[in-house]
Amino acid sequence: MSLVKTIGIVTVGLVLGTGTTMFLLMKATNTYVARLVAMRAEAEEAKQPDKPWDFWTIEMENLSSELKEEKARLKQREETLRQAENRLASDRLELEKTRKQLETLRSSIDQRLIEVSEGEKANLKKLAQTYSSLTPKASISIFKEMDD
């Protein structure tokens, strides 16, 4: 049994020794990691330019709030102008469409006027032939019934 006790004691010693070593390594590692993080933070701070001042006054706060308000007003005005531009663009398109329709109507009216005037010419020629073939007495009675 003494051999079993010896093996047990050696095993407990190995476990305790390993555990103690691991604990001390973890503690030392945490210290080194904290130092490394602090050094990196200092390096990042060193990269950033120094502030021209490190104080904040009420006047600066007021100026800051005024600038923020003005920026909000400008953003709202830009949105209003953008909406107005969109409305103008749509109105412009509608006017262009109406203008094209009017031009189409004008050309069709012009075409019809030409057709009507050609038809009227034919009618006038027929009337002229009819009147020229009438006797003067019949022509006078027709002219009396016509409006001025």
Side-chain angles (χ1 to χ4, degrees), residues 5-119:
K5 281 185 177 181
T6 306
I7 291 176
I9 290 174
V10 169
T11 306
V12 169
L14 282 173
V15 169
L16 285 176
T18 306
T20 304
T21 304
M22 292 301 288
F23 174 74
L24 291 175
L25 276 174
M26 292 294 280
K27 193 173 181 181
T29 304
N30 286 340
T31 304
Y32 290 124
V33 168
R35 282 186 195 169
L36 183 61
V37 168
M39 286 174 37
R40 283 191 180 170
E42 287 175 9
E44 286 295 321
E45 272 186 37
K47 287 181 183 177
Q48 294 177 352
D50 292 334
K51 295 179 184 176
W53 64 83
D54 53 341
F55 58 89
W56 194 257
T57 64
I58 293 174
E59 289 84 15
M60 284 189 236
E61 184 67 35
N62 290 340
L63 285 173
S64 174
S65 63
E66 286 178 21
L67 286 173
K68 287 177 185 175
E69 290 172 3
E70 187 65 26
K71 189 175 181 180
R73 276 183 280 194
L74 285 174
K75 189 176 266 188
Q76 184 179 10
R77 184 170 170 99
E78 284 178 4
E79 183 62 30
T80 304
L81 287 173
R82 192 174 301 117
Q83 290 173 356
E85 285 175 352
N86 290 340
R87 282 194 306 264
L88 283 174
S90 66
D91 288 348
R92 203 173 285 134
L93 288 175
E94 188 175 332
L95 281 173
E96 188 64 31
K97 181 180 174 184
T98 305
R99 184 176 294 138
K100 286 180 182 179
Q101 288 175 347
L102 283 174
E103 287 175 3
T104 305
L105 285 173
R106 182 178 291 154
S107 65
S108 69
I109 288 173
D110 288 343
Q111 189 66 28
R112 286 207 174 149
L113 279 176
I114 292 170
E115 290 172 3
V116 167
S117 61
E118 287 177 3

